[in-house]
Amino acid sequence: MAVAAVTAELKVLLALLRGQPRAGSHAERLEAFYAPQAGRYDAFRERLLHGRGELVADLIEAQAVPAGGHLVELGAGTGRNLLFFGDRLAALARIDAVDLCPSLVSEARRRTAAMANVQIYEADACRWQPEAPVDTVYLAYSLTMIPDWRAAIDNAIAMLKPGGHLGVVDFYVSAPEPAPGLVRHSPLTRAFWPRWFRHDGVHLESERLAYLRQSLPDHRLTEAMAPVPYLPGLRVPYYRFIGRRDN
């Protein structure tokens, strides 16, 4: 790794060690946390945020991203996740990417400047609404960072057309007694990972996934484990969820 890359990596690690500030609004805390690492945000998180490409592939397989359709990403960060759609992105009529952090929004606008069908919004995922119902909404590793996550899920579902799809990929831990057919994590897993991530404003628990499943009973769910940079031998749980709005 080149000296510049090492220096940038160290800046990200330092930001993670410092954690997210406890004072200020949600937007202010996000900006304080992400502004120093925005330029290296994607390179570091390629090794941490697993399953994003697979979620996009799942959405495409479910025919949730039709040509000429309207796609929304909530908590879009730098816009990196849009690239997982590849050539299909150009076939969409409109893509709206929403994030509350100014530094990450600036990166997203730079990245998508040549994409005429992409609009970037600095806004709250719990309140922002498109002008008309959309085909698909997705959140990739953002739901665990939204304090009023129920409002974010409700808002996302409210955007959808009848038959529209909501996709989510994120970290989590299982309930002590999960629903039949779901993965049960060990007590150590359920204790360690929420404490590890909470320092950086990422909140792992079982309730978000349970609420998604309750809100959209017509869904498909994949549960998995992934490695974590600089923690050899340890694996963190994550899930991919796609739900369909019936009406």
Side-chain angles (χ1 to χ4, degrees):
M1 190 180 292
V3 174
V6 171
T7 300
E9 185 95 344
L10 290 174
K11 287 182 179 179
V12 174
L13 290 173
L14 181 59
L16 294 174
L17 289 171
R18 287 175 176 168
Q20 193 177 120
R22 301 294 181 262
S25 67
H26 182 45
E28 290 168 342
R29 295 195 306 273
L30 289 173
E31 179 65 8
F33 181 61
Y34 283 119
Q37 52 175 309
R40 185 66 182 173
Y41 179 94
D42 293 316
F44 182 84
R45 284 164 177 79
E46 292 296 329
R47 311 194 312 274
L48 176 63
L49 306 182
H50 297 268
R52 294 174 295 166
E54 290 84 349
L55 177 70
V56 169
D58 291 344
L59 288 168
I60 292 171
E61 182 182 340
Q63 300 182 345
V65 192
H70 189 171
L71 174 73
V72 170
E73 181 178 4
L74 298 177
T78 64
R80 162 66 181 98
N81 298 322
L82 295 176
L83 304 185
F84 287 111
F85 287 91
D87 294 340
R88 187 169 293 260
L89 203 64
L92 294 171
R94 184 180 177 108
I95 303 103
D96 295 325
V98 181
D99 201 275
L100 193 57
C101 178
S103 293
L104 299 185
V105 166
S106 294
E107 288 290 317
R109 286 176 174 154
R110 177 190 59 78
R111 168 170 276 141
T112 61
M115 301 178 185
N117 58 347
V118 176
Q119 298 292 323
I120 308 296
Y121 297 89
E122 184 182 324
D124 188 341
C126 299
R127 298 180 177 85
W128 182 89
Q129 277 278 326
E131 297 172 357
V134 307
D135 297 283
T136 306
V137 181
Y138 75 101
L139 299 94
Y141 290 98
S142 57
L143 193 58
T144 44
M145 301 196 71
I146 299 175
D148 194 358
W149 54 268
R150 287 184 180 84
I153 292 172
D154 292 344
N155 193 41
I157 294 172
M159 296 179 198
L160 294 172
K161 299 175 181 177
H165 291 78
L166 171 62
V168 180
V169 58
D170 216 328
F171 298 122
Y172 80 120
V173 292
S174 74
E177 298 293 337
L182 299 190
V183 171
R184 178 180 180 178
H185 298 136
S186 69
L188 178 60
T189 294
R190 288 187 284 106
F192 176 75
W193 289 117
R195 180 171 293 184
W196 177 268
F197 280 97
R198 189 181 303 124
H199 178 65
D200 295 322
V202 179
H203 298 278
L204 278 63
E205 78 293 284
S206 61
E207 285 81 4
R208 286 171 170 82
L209 179 55
Y211 192 71
L212 283 167
R213 297 182 70 236
Q214 172 189 327
S215 300
L216 295 172
D218 182 3
H219 65 263
R220 57 190 289 190
L221 173 66
T222 303
E223 300 175 276
M225 305 285 285
V228 178
Y230 301 104
L231 293 178
L234 295 184
R235 299 175 74 82
V236 61
Y238 74 97
Y239 65 88
R240 303 195 313 271
F241 171 96
I242 296 179
R244 182 180 182 276
R245 179 175 177 174
D246 291 330
N247 52 50

